[in-house]
Amino acid sequence: MLLDAAREAAAEAVGCRADELVFTSSGSRAVHTGVAGALAGRRRAGRHLIVSAVEHSSVLHSAEAHEAGGGSVTQVPVDRGGAVDPVAYGAALREDTALACLQSANHEVGTEQPVGAVAEVCREAGVPLLVDAAQSLGWGPVEDGWSLLTASAHKWGGPSGVGLLVVRKGVRFAAQGPVDERESGRAPGFENIPAIVAAAASLRAVRAEAAGEAVRLRELTDRIRARVPRLVSDVEVVGDPVRRLPGVVTFSCLYVDGEALLHELDREGFSVSSGSSCTSSTLTPSHVLRAMGVLSEGNVRVSLPLGAAEEDVERFLEVLPRAVAAVREKLGAPVSETVVREDVLVVDSLGKRCPIPVIELAKVIGDVPVGGLVRVLSDDEAARLDIPAWCEMRNQEYVGEEPAERGTAYLVRRVS
Amino acid sequence: MLLDAAREAAAEAVGCRADELVFTSSGSRAVHTGVAGALAGRRRAGRHLIVSAVEHSSVLHSAEAHEAGGGSVTQVPVDRGGAVDPVAYGAALREDTALACLQSANHEVGTEQPVGAVAEVCREAGVPLLVDAAQSLGWGPVEDGWSLLTASAHKWGGPSGVGLLVVRKGVRFAAQGPVDERESGRAPGFENIPAIVAAAASLRAVRAEAAGEAVRLRELTDRIRARVPRLVSDVEVVGDPVRRLPGVVTFSCLYVDGEALLHELDREGFSVSSGSSCTSSTLTPSHVLRAMGVLSEGNVRVSLPLGAAEEDVERFLEVLPRAVAAVREKLGAPVSETVVREDVLVVDSLGKRCPIPVIELAKVIGDVPVGGLVRVLSDDEAARLDIPAWCEMRNQEYVGEEPAERGTAYLVRRVS
């Protein structure tokens, strides 16, 4: 009875029938099960899968597993704001496309995707669309037209250990792997009833306050978006300024080590995230920032929880400039060997990590005449993203990259 | 840090290295992941899987999925007490056996399996053994020699939503499906930290009291095993009387509808389980009771939780005879058409469910002379199990079954 009531409540929030919704053990599990089941159910149509380039890792891991199993995958790119173009998305649809995936909103930069328009092009092509609604379900239902939907309770403030998988009636679906009689054969194992009940109750509670809270948090994130570039020099605020989640704001600070900035902010009591390569275990920048082509160094993601206080936002804005200045000062005058060769200034940043290569580039750009070239040697993957982004921010020309004896050479022409 | 500490505590209880143990979202998930990963890791050896006939459904579902994918499966039978014979288990090992599975103890009848001996024959054959330790881990570590181990926190009194999967170093393992960087790539999705911490803490707490509590509960279940057959007529206590879990006792009552008995006991405040076909949604008796060849009708499983009070056991023993009598009285004198044809008495129980066919058999056996036959027509799957079991309990000869115009005819010869 508790499970049925939870299912009714969650289905009402999603806008689906209760018998279309099952509870899984996490949002990632919902995505893995949903993608695999939809692909298997449409095996006859073909083995082509479409995802956007900025999906959550659970979707991209599903795509990798599909490719490893012999399927094909198209990644639809996004614009500088992080959104896909429905026309470009539609152009990726093929005769053998079994499934298309699109998040409702991005988890790192908050940009909302044009789900309704993409669903429409998918519908015309007869291809089911799976929407990963993990980021947005707490704020409201997803635009109409999707065939499968996934979400995660802890993302709307509910407990860990509960995901949702919704498969619309009529959508071909063949659950993969061992199943049992639970959750329509789509989520085996003993149901976590207490967590499921809490998940449904919290979704209902969050939704009751969503409209008012959205306005309030949007005002606070607008404030951060507007004031950070005035308070801190050399900052790029990323993500769509309008079509975005209410409580997320993301920006990147030139010449800043993301990890060091997180520590500075943590000391002041602020827990933020970063997509900088310096803060990730793999030493590669966030795939989202990379797909958007924006600066990744000194990246900071501020997520305002429901009920976040205005005073805290104000204090964050007070603390941030000092924190950035402290990090920049520490990195202040990095020693780098620069060699002038013909009309090209060579900066050897080999072995140095983000944000050092960009800092060294910035320090020497004034040393070459307008029209002159700087050649930055780097073996840091983040440079591939950050040097072009710096050029765009600084109105310098990014000429391109070429393989070097060690690492890669990035060529920048001084134009101003 | 919390996750690391939980992993250390769980590994200590299991008797393994912390880096061999990952947390999954349920015991079933641990089994599914463990079986699939071990089979894939040993793909070169072959695609043969061995399971016992009385494994938990999660193991049997994994075996079904393996067969559906083209693999082969051998089910090792059990004796009337529910245990496998290590020699018979060893005989199932083949050149192409990739994995063997055996539970540490049975979930329905409590019988402990000879894990150490089976592990030894598997080791000699170079085949890894996966032990589903869900039922026993709270009581103590599993006998040595296993290669993979699974368990479920809610079975030892911990929270729902946490399972354990242990893969010994050196065991070939290839996780299937999408993975991420969490839990050594074996359990994707956001970790349910609060539940994992609670699971590890509860395992430690349960273990601290296990030795004393095992003695106490074993005395109580011994009491039930000894007294139920004296208090209630026509009862078969099932499961090994010695090698068994401390807190589980299972018996079957002839001429009783399991569902009705559960309701009677529930009214008295006792929540028990049943493997009778009448209480299951699929109308088939428990695969465990079937594999043991014991009576399934009127089946009752009593699980004593940690701390179960002696008074409650005494009250259960007081209530049970009345409850069984009430159910038997309601079923009392079922109308059945009996037709004497030559020297065979035919009982038409078509369309009637367990326990009616056995009741009708019992009512007419005295009507045929010693040496005479009773032919019971039944289309209830449980009859296939329960009529031979009744014969064994009543010292009558079970001749066999044959297809009938409708359903199956079960032949019983009166010998006493």
Side-chain angles (χ1 to χ4, degrees):
Chain A
M1 278 162 50
L2 289 169
L3 191 57
D4 288 347
R7 199 185 312 282
E8 289 286 347
E12 193 188 328
V14 169
C16 68
R17 290 166 41 167
D19 61 356
E20 295 173 330
L21 183 150
V22 301
F23 293 105
T24 66
S25 57
S26 71
S28 289
R29 182 60 68 185
V31 166
H32 296 166
T33 301
V35 172
L39 285 170
R42 296 252 307 157
R43 185 74 176 74
R44 280 196 188 172
R47 304 198 64 194
H48 179 234
L49 170 68
I50 305 176
V51 300
S52 89
V54 295
E55 295 298 316
H56 185 261
S57 60
S58 58
V59 173
L60 298 180
H61 290 141
S62 288
E64 283 165 22
H66 180 59
E67 268 187 318
S72 63
V73 176
T74 299
Q75 275 202 9
V76 178
V78 295
D79 61 23
R80 211 173 153 81
V84 299
D85 170 11
V87 175
Y89 202 103
L93 289 160
R94 305 193 318 214
E95 272 298 307
D96 64 338
T97 303
L99 178 68
C101 298
L102 182 63
Q103 63 194 188
S104 57
N106 186 267
H107 48 298
E108 291 191 24
V109 300
T111 300
E112 290 173 352
Q113 301 292 349
V115 168
V118 169
E120 181 58 24
V121 299
C122 289
R123 196 191 57 74
E124 282 165 14
V127 171
L129 178 69
L130 181 151
V131 174
D132 168 17
Q135 294 303 316
S136 73
L137 198 65
W139 297 110
V142 171
E143 291 172 6
D144 277 347
W146 49 269
S147 298
L148 300 101
L149 181 144
T150 60
S152 173
H154 81 95
K155 292 291 178 71
W156 67 65
S160 296
V162 182
L164 301 184
L165 169 62
V166 184
V167 182
R168 287 282 198 203
K169 287 287 155 200
V171 173
R172 287 179 195 278
F173 192 88
Q176 299 299 288
V179 296
D180 59 27
E181 72 288 0
R182 299 191 184 89
E183 295 299 299
S184 309
R186 289 173 185 167
F190 189 69
E191 301 96 342
N192 190 346
I193 306 275
I196 288 171
V197 169
S202 59
L203 180 54
R204 191 181 280 216
V206 163
R207 277 289 186 84
E209 299 181 3
E213 193 66 2
V215 171
R216 202 179 68 81
L217 290 186
R218 191 174 290 274
E219 194 280 320
L220 293 176
T221 48
D222 273 343
R223 199 181 297 190
I224 296 171
R225 288 183 71 92
R227 281 172 55 193
V228 163
R230 295 207 299 267
L231 294 165
V232 181
S233 63
D234 299 321
V235 160
E236 180 174 17
V237 178
V238 300
D240 194 290
V242 179
R243 284 184 53 91
R244 62 181 176 83
L245 295 171
V248 178
V249 56
T250 305
F251 52 87
S252 299
C253 310
L254 263 181
Y255 319 139
V256 164
D257 171 336
E259 180 79 10
L261 182 54
L262 258 56
H263 280 212
E264 286 288 334
L265 290 170
D266 187 64
R267 252 205 294 272
E268 297 284 350
F270 295 103
S271 174
V272 299
S273 304
S274 173
S276 295
S277 63
C278 3
T279 55
S280 121
S281 55
T282 55
L283 289 178
T284 57
S286 137
H287 71 279
V288 171
L289 300 177
R290 204 162 45 200
M292 292 166 67
V294 295
L295 187 73
S296 81
E297 74 180 31
N299 179 258
V300 171
R301 172 162 89 251
V302 180
S303 302
L304 299 184
L306 294 185
E310 184 179 356
E311 308 86 88
D312 290 336
V313 171
E314 283 301 324
R315 203 171 77 78
F316 175 78
L317 289 170
E318 194 184 309
V319 161
L320 180 71
R322 290 204 306 269
V324 172
V327 173
R328 283 180 175 162
E329 197 182 326
K330 271 182 220 154
L331 296 168
V335 181
S336 87
E337 285 174 32
T338 61
V339 186
V340 179
R341 198 180 65 191
E342 297 160 45
D343 59 337
V344 181
L345 184 72
V346 177
V347 179
D348 179 0
S349 288
L350 290 167
K352 292 170 188 164
R353 295 274 159 227
C354 144
I356 302 301
V358 175
I359 289 179
E360 295 187 338
L361 168 61
K363 288 176 66 181
V364 301
I365 191 78
D367 297 349
V368 298
V370 170
L373 281 174
V374 179
R375 182 182 167 91
V376 184
L377 296 173
S378 173
D379 49 10
D380 179 15
E381 189 54 34
R384 177 161 290 124
L385 180 60
D386 289 337
I387 290 175
W390 179 89
C391 291
E392 181 138 341
M393 289 172 76
R394 278 290 172 270
N395 292 316
Q396 305 296 354
E397 184 193 346
Y398 178 64
V399 179
E401 62 166 80
E402 56 190 36
E405 201 174 335
R406 276 181 56 211
T408 303
Y410 299 92
L411 286 165
V412 175
R413 188 181 308 283
R414 180 176 173 193
V415 290
S416 60
Chain B
M1 277 161 50
L2 288 169
L3 191 57
D4 287 346
R7 199 183 312 281
E8 288 285 348
E12 193 189 328
V14 169
C16 68
R17 290 167 42 168
D19 61 356
E20 295 173 329
L21 184 150
V22 301
F23 293 106
T24 66
S25 57
S26 70
S28 290
R29 182 60 70 185
V31 166
H32 296 167
T33 302
V35 172
L39 286 170
R42 295 252 307 158
R43 185 74 175 74
R44 281 197 187 171
R47 302 198 66 193
H48 180 234
L49 170 68
I50 304 176
V51 299
S52 89
V54 295
E55 294 298 316
H56 184 261
S57 60
S58 58
V59 173
L60 298 180
H61 291 141
S62 287
E64 284 164 23
H66 181 57
E67 268 187 319
S72 63
V73 176
T74 298
Q75 275 202 8
V76 178
V78 294
D79 61 23
R80 210 173 153 82
V84 299
D85 169 12
V87 175
Y89 202 104
L93 289 161
R94 306 194 318 215
E95 272 298 307
D96 64 339
T97 303
L99 178 68
C101 298
L102 182 63
Q103 62 194 187
S104 56
N106 186 268
H107 48 298
E108 291 190 26
V109 300
T111 300
E112 289 175 350
Q113 301 292 348
V115 168
V118 169
E120 181 59 24
V121 297
C122 288
R123 196 191 58 73
E124 281 165 15
V127 172
L129 178 69
L130 181 151
V131 174
D132 168 16
Q135 294 303 317
S136 73
L137 197 65
W139 297 111
V142 171
E143 290 172 6
D144 276 348
W146 49 269
S147 298
L148 300 101
L149 181 144
T150 60
S152 173
H154 82 94
K155 293 288 177 72
W156 68 64
S160 296
V162 181
L164 302 184
L165 169 61
V166 184
V167 182
R168 288 281 197 203
K169 287 287 156 200
V171 172
R172 286 180 195 277
F173 192 88
Q176 298 301 288
V179 295
D180 59 27
E181 72 287 1
R182 298 189 186 91
E183 295 298 300
S184 309
R186 290 174 184 166
F190 190 69
E191 300 97 342
N192 190 347
I193 306 275
I196 288 171
V197 169
S202 59
L203 180 55
R204 190 181 282 214
V206 163
R207 277 290 186 83
E209 299 181 4
E213 194 64 4
V215 171
R216 202 179 67 82
L217 290 186
R218 190 174 289 276
E219 194 279 321
L220 293 177
T221 48
D222 273 341
R223 200 180 296 190
I224 295 173
R225 288 183 72 92
R227 280 172 56 191
V228 164
R230 295 207 299 267
L231 293 166
V232 181
S233 63
D234 299 321
V235 160
E236 180 174 17
V237 178
V238 299
D240 194 291
V242 179
R243 282 184 54 93
R244 61 183 177 84
L245 295 171
V248 177
V249 57
T250 305
F251 53 85
S252 299
C253 310
L254 263 181
Y255 318 139
V256 165
D257 171 337
E259 181 79 9
L261 182 54
L262 257 57
H263 281 214
E264 286 288 335
L265 291 170
D266 188 65
R267 249 204 294 274
E268 297 283 351
F270 295 103
S271 175
V272 299
S273 304
S274 173
S276 295
S277 63
C278 4
T279 53
S280 121
S281 54
T282 54
L283 290 177
T284 57
S286 137
H287 72 276
V288 172
L289 301 178
R290 205 161 44 201
M292 292 165 67
V294 296
L295 187 72
S296 82
E297 75 180 29
N299 179 258
V300 171
R301 172 160 89 251
V302 181
S303 302
L304 299 185
L306 294 184
E310 184 179 354
E311 308 87 88
D312 291 336
V313 171
E314 284 299 325
R315 203 172 77 76
F316 175 78
L317 290 170
E318 193 185 310
V319 161
L320 181 71
R322 289 204 308 268
V324 172
V327 174
R328 284 181 175 160
E329 195 182 328
K330 270 182 221 158
L331 297 170
V335 181
S336 88
E337 285 173 36
T338 61
V339 187
V340 179
R341 198 180 65 189
E342 298 160 45
D343 58 338
V344 181
L345 183 72
V346 177
V347 180
D348 179 0
S349 288
L350 291 166
K352 293 172 187 161
R353 294 275 158 226
C354 144
I356 302 301
V358 175
I359 290 178
E360 295 186 340
L361 167 61
K363 287 176 65 181
V364 302
I365 192 79
D367 298 349
V368 297
V370 170
L373 281 175
V374 179
R375 183 180 166 90
V376 184
L377 297 174
S378 173
D379 50 8
D380 180 14
E381 188 55 33
R384 176 161 290 125
L385 181 59
D386 289 336
I387 290 175
W390 179 89
C391 292
E392 180 137 343
M393 289 172 76
R394 278 289 172 272
N395 292 316
Q396 305 296 352
E397 184 193 346
Y398 177 64
V399 178
E401 62 167 78
E402 57 189 37
E405 201 175 335
R406 277 179 58 212
T408 302
Y410 299 93
L411 287 166
V412 176
R413 187 181 309 282
R414 180 176 171 191
V415 291
S416 60

